[in-house]
Amino acid sequence: MCQSPQVQDTKVQTITLMNQKGGAGKSTAARVLLSAADTKGLRCAFIDADQTGNLANWAIRAAAAGLWSSGIDAYQTIDAGEVAEIVEEIEDEGDVDLLVIDTAGDASRDHDTFAILADLILCPILLSQSDLETAVGTANYLFRMRDRASNPALLPAFSVALNRLSSTASKGDAELIRTIHSNPLVGIDVDHPEEVLQILPAVLQEREAYKTMDRQGLLGRVLARQNETSPAFAKNPKHMMKALNEADAFLTACMDIALRTKE
């Protein structure tokens, strides 16, 4: 039997990426958040708690290419207890504005620990029925945590982040979005929905710039490197600037929710 989660408030804004399946874009969302925070000059840290190590390996590649930031501390562990210790250490030091935790794409019991460390649980999904069902499963798991938490009011906010959206929504995409916004989907289980699934008011489109980011490093650093060698008329290409603006809106939406959780 799971113990009652002991939820505590924190100063650092902690965003935990959680989805009970892989391939929905958790690591990409984490890279976007860190890139946007770096561009804004925020002090950041991340914990890669996913067995794949995608986020940590990205940071290693970026550092080797000179496209990383000394203002981002990196940690890697799949041990939930160690994650909690790292978070406590970061909170005690008090010099980090944003902490991003990337979790495994499964239904691990460790998610209890990851959840209570967060201000916002962010669940990236592709716009598909199967991903929606997985997001509902994650939301229902957090809904049920209210019965086990010592103070349910301090549980993290939960939001779904739509990822890799096409610039032109299909009829099926539009219908799925209407379903999400209009129908209660979240409750004790799928047969007892009580609440509408919360959708982050910022999305990530399918962009070549994010693929470049994933290969090379922090988005703003990649752009700065390109500008160093580009002629004046080719500096700040539109596709990169659009991605940076979108990343900033994505980060702002997440941090606004995380901040409200602390109030």
Side-chain angles (χ1 to χ4, degrees):
M1 180 181 295
C2 293
Q3 296 180 348
S4 174
Q6 302 297 310
V7 185
Q8 297 182 354
D9 197 8
T10 61
K11 293 181 179 179
V12 60
Q13 293 190 42
T14 302
I15 300 171
T16 296
L17 283 300
M18 187 181 292
N19 191 320
Q20 295 178 345
K21 66 181 283 291
K26 289 188 294 83
S27 295
T28 295
R31 293 173 186 129
V32 167
L33 289 169
L34 293 168
S35 290
D38 176 56
T39 300
K40 294 172 79 72
L42 298 180
R43 176 74 181 178
C44 305
F46 77 78
I47 304 173
D48 188 344
D50 190 346
Q51 298 96 322
T52 64
N54 285 337
L55 195 57
N57 291 334
W58 170 68
I60 292 170
R61 290 196 307 273
L67 297 172
W68 191 245
S69 168
S70 60
I72 302 178
D73 296 329
Y75 302 87
Q76 183 179 20
T77 178
I78 60 173
D79 183 272
E82 190 172 356
V83 170
E85 291 174 0
I86 293 169
V87 172
E88 183 178 3
E89 178 183 338
I90 289 172
E91 292 169 358
D92 288 344
E93 292 175 353
D95 59 357
V96 168
D97 302 303
L98 173 68
L99 170 62
V100 176
I101 303 176
D102 189 15
T103 67
D106 57 27
S108 169
R109 292 183 179 180
D110 290 340
H111 280 175
D112 262 15
T113 299
F114 297 140
I116 63 178
L117 294 171
D119 300 303
L120 169 64
I121 301 293
L122 192 65
C123 180
I125 67 168
L126 307 182
L127 196 54
S128 69
Q129 184 63 40
S130 60
D131 270 33
L132 173 58
E133 290 171 358
T134 302
V136 169
T138 304
N140 288 347
Y141 152 72
L142 291 167
F143 185 93
R144 291 190 296 271
M145 277 189 72
R146 300 174 188 178
D147 292 332
R148 297 186 286 111
S150 58
N151 186 351
L154 293 179
L155 285 171
F158 175 82
S159 190
V160 167
L162 300 180
N163 187 31
R164 300 179 198 164
L165 287 190
S166 171
S167 56
T168 304
S170 68
K171 183 177 179 180
D173 292 343
E175 182 60 33
L176 198 57
I177 290 174
R178 281 194 294 271
T179 297
I180 295 171
H181 283 295
S182 304
N183 300 287
L185 299 174
V186 180
I188 296 175
D189 54 44
V190 294
D191 296 322
H192 301 88
E194 299 181 29
E195 300 176 355
V196 173
L197 189 65
Q198 297 301 307
I199 304 295
L200 191 75
V203 303
L204 297 179
Q205 292 190 0
E206 181 71 47
R207 294 186 184 277
E208 188 63 34
Y210 294 147
K211 297 177 183 179
T212 302
M213 172 193 68
D214 291 355
R215 290 193 306 269
Q216 299 185 19
L218 294 161
L219 193 58
R221 307 276 171 160
V222 172
L223 175 61
R225 173 71 61 81
Q226 290 181 3
N227 283 344
E228 288 174 1
T229 57
S230 298
F233 66 85
K235 293 183 185 296
N236 297 320
K238 288 184 177 180
H239 77 285
M240 290 292 288
M241 296 307 299
K242 287 181 178 179
L244 276 170
N245 290 337
E246 184 173 87
D248 180 73
F250 191 78
L251 172 66
T252 298
C254 289
M255 294 190 74
D256 283 349
I257 296 173
L259 184 60
R260 289 200 298 273
T261 302
K262 295 179 181 295
E263 294 177 349

Tab-separated table of all heavy atoms in Angstrom, residues 27-28 31-32 35 57-59 61-63 65 67-68 205-227 237 239-241 243-244:
chain	number	residue	atom	x	y	z
A	27	SER	N	11.322	14.845	-23.372
A	27	SER	CA	12.671	15.402	-23.416
A	27	SER	C	12.735	16.660	-24.277
A	27	SER	O	13.448	17.616	-23.945
A	27	SER	CB	13.667	14.354	-23.944
A	27	SER	OG	13.772	13.266	-23.044
A	28	THR	N	11.976	16.680	-25.371
A	28	THR	CA	11.940	17.884	-26.198
A	28	THR	C	11.344	19.053	-25.423
A	28	THR	O	11.839	20.177	-25.464
A	28	THR	CB	11.140	17.642	-27.490
A	28	THR	OG1	11.825	16.663	-28.289
A	28	THR	CG2	10.999	18.926	-28.299
A	31	ARG	N	13.934	20.356	-23.091
A	31	ARG	CA	14.941	21.146	-23.800
A	31	ARG	C	14.415	22.534	-24.140
A	31	ARG	O	15.142	23.527	-24.060
A	31	ARG	CB	15.368	20.416	-25.073
A	31	ARG	CG	16.119	19.123	-24.826
A	31	ARG	CD	16.371	18.369	-26.130
A	31	ARG	NE	16.960	17.077	-25.874
A	31	ARG	CZ	16.534	15.922	-26.359
A	31	ARG	NH1	15.471	15.909	-27.159
A	31	ARG	NH2	17.143	14.794	-26.078
A	32	VAL	N	13.150	22.596	-24.528
A	32	VAL	CA	12.533	23.886	-24.838
A	32	VAL	C	12.496	24.760	-23.586
A	32	VAL	O	12.841	25.953	-23.622
A	32	VAL	CB	11.124	23.688	-25.415
A	32	VAL	CG1	10.348	24.999	-25.436
A	32	VAL	CG2	11.198	23.114	-26.836
A	35	SER	N	16.019	25.902	-22.740
A	35	SER	CA	16.499	26.873	-23.734
A	35	SER	C	15.879	28.240	-23.502
A	35	SER	O	16.558	29.270	-23.537
A	35	SER	CB	16.176	26.385	-25.150
A	35	SER	OG	16.953	25.263	-25.501
A	57	ASN	N	22.353	13.167	-22.003
A	57	ASN	CA	23.209	13.008	-23.176
A	57	ASN	C	23.180	14.249	-24.052
A	57	ASN	O	24.206	14.635	-24.630
A	57	ASN	CB	22.777	11.781	-23.986
A	57	ASN	CG	23.071	10.479	-23.266
A	57	ASN	OD1	23.978	10.407	-22.435
A	57	ASN	ND2	22.313	9.436	-23.571
A	58	TRP	N	22.020	14.889	-24.152
A	58	TRP	CA	21.903	16.145	-24.902
A	58	TRP	C	22.790	17.218	-24.285
A	58	TRP	O	23.505	17.935	-24.991
A	58	TRP	CB	20.448	16.586	-24.917
A	58	TRP	CG	20.199	17.964	-25.442
A	58	TRP	CD1	20.355	18.402	-26.727
A	58	TRP	CD2	19.714	19.095	-24.702
A	58	TRP	NE1	20.000	19.729	-26.835
A	58	TRP	CE2	19.610	20.171	-25.608
A	58	TRP	CE3	19.358	19.285	-23.370
A	58	TRP	CZ2	19.166	21.435	-25.202
A	58	TRP	CZ3	18.915	20.535	-22.972
A	58	TRP	CH2	18.825	21.600	-23.888
A	59	ALA	N	22.764	17.320	-22.955
A	59	ALA	CA	23.588	18.318	-22.277
A	59	ALA	C	25.073	18.055	-22.498
A	59	ALA	O	25.864	19.001	-22.690
A	59	ALA	CB	23.270	18.325	-20.776
A	61	ARG	N	26.445	16.533	-25.133
A	61	ARG	CA	26.755	16.914	-26.516
A	61	ARG	C	26.852	18.433	-26.653
A	61	ARG	O	27.756	18.957	-27.308
A	61	ARG	CB	25.673	16.393	-27.472
A	61	ARG	CG	25.632	14.909	-27.665
A	61	ARG	CD	24.812	14.537	-28.910
A	61	ARG	NE	23.482	15.129	-28.906
A	61	ARG	CZ	22.416	14.568	-28.337
A	61	ARG	NH1	22.545	13.412	-27.701
A	61	ARG	NH2	21.232	15.143	-28.394
A	62	ALA	N	25.897	19.128	-26.043
A	62	ALA	CA	25.871	20.582	-26.144
A	62	ALA	C	27.108	21.192	-25.507
A	62	ALA	O	27.714	22.137	-26.057
A	62	ALA	CB	24.610	21.128	-25.486
A	63	ALA	N	27.510	20.689	-24.345
A	63	ALA	CA	28.694	21.217	-23.667
A	63	ALA	C	29.940	20.981	-24.504
A	63	ALA	O	30.811	21.863	-24.610
A	63	ALA	CB	28.837	20.571	-22.293
A	65	ALA	N	30.105	20.863	-27.656
A	65	ALA	CA	30.052	21.746	-28.825
A	65	ALA	C	30.110	23.225	-28.445
A	65	ALA	O	30.066	24.089	-29.327
A	65	ALA	CB	28.771	21.473	-29.617
A	67	LEU	N	27.770	24.766	-26.759
A	67	LEU	CA	26.408	25.281	-26.892
A	67	LEU	C	25.577	24.989	-25.643
A	67	LEU	O	24.378	24.759	-25.709
A	67	LEU	CB	25.743	24.682	-28.144
A	67	LEU	CG	26.414	25.049	-29.473
A	67	LEU	CD1	25.824	24.255	-30.617
A	67	LEU	CD2	26.287	26.546	-29.744
A	68	TRP	N	26.261	25.043	-24.498
A	68	TRP	CA	25.609	24.844	-23.216
A	68	TRP	C	25.797	26.097	-22.375
A	68	TRP	O	26.427	27.065	-22.823
A	68	TRP	CB	26.180	23.615	-22.508
A	68	TRP	CG	25.399	23.176	-21.305
A	68	TRP	CD1	25.793	23.163	-20.004
A	68	TRP	CD2	24.062	22.683	-21.299
A	68	TRP	NE1	24.804	22.706	-19.188
A	68	TRP	CE2	23.720	22.400	-19.962
A	68	TRP	CE3	23.103	22.453	-22.298
A	68	TRP	CZ2	22.471	21.900	-19.581
A	68	TRP	CZ3	21.869	21.965	-21.936
A	68	TRP	CH2	21.557	21.690	-20.593
A	205	GLN	N	4.868	23.583	-31.788
A	205	GLN	CA	4.598	23.124	-33.140
A	205	GLN	C	5.716	22.214	-33.633
A	205	GLN	O	6.771	22.086	-33.005
A	205	GLN	CB	4.437	24.320	-34.079
A	205	GLN	CG	3.192	25.141	-33.814
A	205	GLN	CD	2.942	26.169	-34.912
A	205	GLN	OE1	3.680	26.279	-35.880
A	205	GLN	NE2	1.866	26.932	-34.752
A	206	GLU	N	5.457	21.567	-34.717
A	206	GLU	CA	6.471	20.771	-35.393
A	206	GLU	C	7.420	21.737	-36.085
A	206	GLU	O	7.050	22.401	-37.062
A	206	GLU	CB	5.824	19.840	-36.416
A	206	GLU	CG	6.789	18.940	-37.172
A	206	GLU	CD	7.368	17.848	-36.301
A	206	GLU	OE1	6.608	17.187	-35.585
A	206	GLU	OE2	8.598	17.670	-36.346
A	207	ARG	N	8.641	21.856	-35.580
A	207	ARG	CA	9.580	22.861	-36.096
A	207	ARG	C	10.956	22.240	-36.334
A	207	ARG	O	11.471	21.486	-35.495
A	207	ARG	CB	9.725	24.033	-35.114
A	207	ARG	CG	8.470	24.858	-34.949
A	207	ARG	CD	8.725	26.083	-34.077
A	207	ARG	NE	7.510	26.846	-33.837
A	207	ARG	CZ	7.004	27.746	-34.677
A	207	ARG	NH1	7.652	27.988	-35.811
A	207	ARG	NH2	5.887	28.397	-34.389
A	208	GLU	N	11.569	22.608	-37.454
A	208	GLU	CA	12.928	22.165	-37.743
A	208	GLU	C	13.902	22.700	-36.708
A	208	GLU	O	14.905	22.049	-36.373
A	208	GLU	CB	13.329	22.625	-39.145
A	208	GLU	CG	14.647	22.052	-39.633
A	208	GLU	CD	14.615	20.535	-39.767
A	208	GLU	OE1	13.552	19.989	-40.116
A	208	GLU	OE2	15.660	19.897	-39.518
A	209	ALA	N	13.613	23.893	-36.171
A	209	ALA	CA	14.496	24.496	-35.170
A	209	ALA	C	14.617	23.608	-33.932
A	209	ALA	O	15.685	23.545	-33.302
A	209	ALA	CB	13.987	25.876	-34.777
A	210	TYR	N	13.539	22.910	-33.547
A	210	TYR	CA	13.607	22.040	-32.383
A	210	TYR	C	14.445	20.796	-32.682
A	210	TYR	O	15.105	20.253	-31.778
A	210	TYR	CB	12.202	21.641	-31.929
A	210	TYR	CG	11.382	22.806	-31.403
A	210	TYR	CD1	10.007	22.855	-31.586
A	210	TYR	CD2	11.988	23.865	-30.735
A	210	TYR	CE1	9.252	23.910	-31.102
A	210	TYR	CE2	11.246	24.932	-30.255
A	210	TYR	CZ	9.876	24.951	-30.454
A	210	TYR	OH	9.141	26.009	-29.977
A	211	LYS	N	14.418	20.344	-33.904
A	211	LYS	CA	15.273	19.222	-34.275
A	211	LYS	C	16.737	19.639	-34.219
A	211	LYS	O	17.597	18.879	-33.770
A	211	LYS	CB	14.910	18.723	-35.675
A	211	LYS	CG	13.495	18.164	-35.785
A	211	LYS	CD	13.165	17.756	-37.215
A	211	LYS	CE	11.729	17.256	-37.329
A	211	LYS	NZ	11.378	16.883	-38.728
A	212	THR	N	17.023	20.867	-34.663
A	212	THR	CA	18.383	21.395	-34.556
A	212	THR	C	18.800	21.514	-33.096
A	212	THR	O	19.923	21.163	-32.726
A	212	THR	CB	18.466	22.776	-35.244
A	212	THR	OG1	18.086	22.647	-36.613
A	212	THR	CG2	19.876	23.342	-35.157
A	213	MET	N	17.894	22.014	-32.267
A	213	MET	CA	18.140	22.118	-30.832
A	213	MET	C	18.463	20.746	-30.241
A	213	MET	O	19.431	20.602	-29.473
A	213	MET	CB	16.907	22.715	-30.148
A	213	MET	CG	16.938	22.721	-28.635
A	213	MET	SD	15.311	23.095	-27.898
A	213	MET	CE	14.379	21.609	-28.355
A	214	ASP	N	17.669	19.738	-30.585
A	214	ASP	CA	17.878	18.399	-30.047
A	214	ASP	C	19.235	17.836	-30.452
A	214	ASP	O	19.871	17.114	-29.681
A	214	ASP	CB	16.772	17.460	-30.532
A	214	ASP	CG	15.414	17.787	-29.917
A	214	ASP	OD1	15.357	18.683	-29.045
A	214	ASP	OD2	14.413	17.159	-30.315
A	215	ARG	N	19.687	18.167	-31.649
A	215	ARG	CA	20.975	17.656	-32.120
A	215	ARG	C	22.155	18.410	-31.514
A	215	ARG	O	23.198	17.819	-31.236
A	215	ARG	CB	21.067	17.751	-33.646
A	215	ARG	CG	20.168	16.807	-34.409
A	215	ARG	CD	20.583	16.764	-35.887
A	215	ARG	NE	20.621	18.092	-36.488
A	215	ARG	CZ	19.599	18.668	-37.109
A	215	ARG	NH1	18.424	18.037	-37.178
A	215	ARG	NH2	19.717	19.867	-37.656
A	216	GLN	N	21.992	19.734	-31.315
A	216	GLN	CA	23.164	20.561	-31.045
A	216	GLN	C	23.242	21.115	-29.633
A	216	GLN	O	24.309	21.047	-29.006
A	216	GLN	CB	23.218	21.722	-32.056
A	216	GLN	CG	23.342	21.260	-33.494
A	216	GLN	CD	23.511	22.432	-34.455
A	216	GLN	OE1	23.869	23.544	-34.068
A	216	GLN	NE2	23.233	22.185	-35.719
A	217	GLY	N	22.172	21.728	-29.131
A	217	GLY	CA	22.266	22.332	-27.809
A	217	GLY	C	21.173	23.360	-27.590
A	217	GLY	O	20.173	23.395	-28.304
A	218	LEU	N	21.372	24.201	-26.580
A	218	LEU	CA	20.386	25.213	-26.216
A	218	LEU	C	20.036	26.095	-27.401
A	218	LEU	O	20.914	26.574	-28.111
A	218	LEU	CB	20.929	26.064	-25.063
A	218	LEU	CG	21.127	25.321	-23.747
A	218	LEU	CD1	22.088	26.088	-22.840
A	218	LEU	CD2	19.797	25.092	-23.051
A	219	LEU	N	18.754	26.324	-27.588
A	219	LEU	CA	18.259	26.982	-28.797
A	219	LEU	C	18.874	28.364	-28.999
A	219	LEU	O	19.325	28.698	-30.104
A	219	LEU	CB	16.732	27.087	-28.720
A	219	LEU	CG	15.978	27.458	-29.996
A	219	LEU	CD1	16.263	26.463	-31.109
A	219	LEU	CD2	14.474	27.509	-29.705
A	220	GLY	N	18.903	29.175	-27.965
A	220	GLY	CA	19.473	30.510	-28.090
A	220	GLY	C	20.955	30.476	-28.377
A	220	GLY	O	21.481	31.327	-29.115
A	221	ARG	N	21.658	29.518	-27.805
A	221	ARG	CA	23.100	29.377	-28.048
A	221	ARG	C	23.372	28.938	-29.483
A	221	ARG	O	24.334	29.372	-30.106
A	221	ARG	CB	23.690	28.362	-27.070
A	221	ARG	CG	23.385	28.653	-25.608
A	221	ARG	CD	24.353	29.629	-25.008
A	221	ARG	NE	23.908	30.061	-23.678
A	221	ARG	CZ	24.695	30.587	-22.764
A	221	ARG	NH1	25.998	30.750	-23.030
A	221	ARG	NH2	24.225	30.977	-21.600
A	222	VAL	N	22.510	28.062	-30.002
A	222	VAL	CA	22.641	27.632	-31.400
A	222	VAL	C	22.463	28.834	-32.324
A	222	VAL	O	23.236	29.028	-33.269
A	222	VAL	CB	21.615	26.540	-31.738
A	222	VAL	CG1	21.614	26.223	-33.232
A	222	VAL	CG2	21.899	25.273	-30.931
A	223	LEU	N	21.460	29.658	-32.041
A	223	LEU	CA	21.229	30.849	-32.860
A	223	LEU	C	22.407	31.805	-32.776
A	223	LEU	O	22.853	32.343	-33.807
A	223	LEU	CB	19.952	31.555	-32.406
A	223	LEU	CG	19.639	32.882	-33.104
A	223	LEU	CD1	19.446	32.686	-34.605
A	223	LEU	CD2	18.403	33.532	-32.489
A	224	ALA	N	22.929	32.034	-31.595
A	224	ALA	CA	24.072	32.939	-31.438
A	224	ALA	C	25.277	32.438	-32.216
A	224	ALA	O	25.989	33.221	-32.846
A	224	ALA	CB	24.413	33.090	-29.959
A	225	ARG	N	25.507	31.126	-32.211
A	225	ARG	CA	26.620	30.547	-32.966
A	225	ARG	C	26.414	30.767	-34.464
A	225	ARG	O	27.370	31.121	-35.183
A	225	ARG	CB	26.716	29.053	-32.650
A	225	ARG	CG	27.712	28.262	-33.475
A	225	ARG	CD	29.153	28.575	-33.131
A	225	ARG	NE	29.454	28.269	-31.746
A	225	ARG	CZ	29.745	27.039	-31.280
A	225	ARG	NH1	29.769	26.001	-32.111
A	225	ARG	NH2	30.019	26.852	-30.006
A	226	GLN	N	25.182	30.568	-34.934
A	226	GLN	CA	24.905	30.790	-36.350
A	226	GLN	C	25.136	32.249	-36.737
A	226	GLN	O	25.697	32.547	-37.799
A	226	GLN	CB	23.467	30.381	-36.672
A	226	GLN	CG	23.222	28.884	-36.619
A	226	GLN	CD	21.788	28.511	-36.979
A	226	GLN	OE1	20.978	29.356	-37.318
A	226	GLN	NE2	21.480	27.226	-36.904
A	227	ASN	N	24.724	33.152	-35.857
A	227	ASN	CA	24.872	34.581	-36.151
A	227	ASN	C	26.324	35.016	-36.210
A	227	ASN	O	26.672	35.987	-36.893
A	227	ASN	CB	24.125	35.411	-35.107
A	227	ASN	CG	22.627	35.411	-35.328
A	227	ASN	OD1	22.147	35.052	-36.406
A	227	ASN	ND2	21.872	35.814	-34.318
A	237	PRO	N	17.507	34.228	-38.354
A	237	PRO	CA	16.541	33.694	-39.320
A	237	PRO	C	15.164	33.523	-38.686
A	237	PRO	O	15.039	33.198	-37.497
A	237	PRO	CB	17.145	32.340	-39.714
A	237	PRO	CG	18.103	32.005	-38.612
A	237	PRO	CD	18.629	33.298	-38.120
A	239	HIS	N	12.795	31.323	-38.878
A	239	HIS	CA	12.370	30.048	-38.305
A	239	HIS	C	12.947	29.848	-36.908
A	239	HIS	O	12.294	29.272	-36.024
A	239	HIS	CB	12.746	28.883	-39.229
A	239	HIS	CG	14.190	28.495	-39.190
A	239	HIS	ND1	15.188	29.233	-39.785
A	239	HIS	CD2	14.802	27.430	-38.605
A	239	HIS	CE1	16.354	28.648	-39.590
A	239	HIS	NE2	16.152	27.562	-38.872
A	240	MET	N	14.159	30.378	-36.669
A	240	MET	CA	14.739	30.274	-35.341
A	240	MET	C	14.075	31.246	-34.365
A	240	MET	O	13.809	30.910	-33.196
A	240	MET	CB	16.236	30.542	-35.409
A	240	MET	CG	17.040	29.457	-36.109
A	240	MET	SD	17.089	27.899	-35.174
A	240	MET	CE	18.179	28.355	-33.829
A	241	MET	N	13.785	32.446	-34.824
A	241	MET	CA	13.153	33.435	-33.957
A	241	MET	C	11.738	33.003	-33.569
A	241	MET	O	11.307	33.194	-32.431
A	241	MET	CB	13.123	34.801	-34.649
A	241	MET	CG	14.506	35.392	-34.907
A	241	MET	SD	15.548	35.460	-33.425
A	241	MET	CE	14.561	36.523	-32.370
A	243	ALA	N	10.744	29.945	-33.253
A	243	ALA	CA	10.903	28.882	-32.267
A	243	ALA	C	11.252	29.460	-30.894
A	243	ALA	O	10.723	29.017	-29.872
A	243	ALA	CB	11.977	27.897	-32.722
A	244	LEU	N	12.132	30.449	-30.855
A	244	LEU	CA	12.501	31.075	-29.582
A	244	LEU	C	11.305	31.773	-28.938
A	244	LEU	O	11.110	31.695	-27.722
A	244	LEU	CB	13.643	32.065	-29.798
A	244	LEU	CG	15.056	31.471	-29.815
A	244	LEU	CD1	16.067	32.510	-30.283
A	244	LEU	CD2	15.444	30.954	-28.433
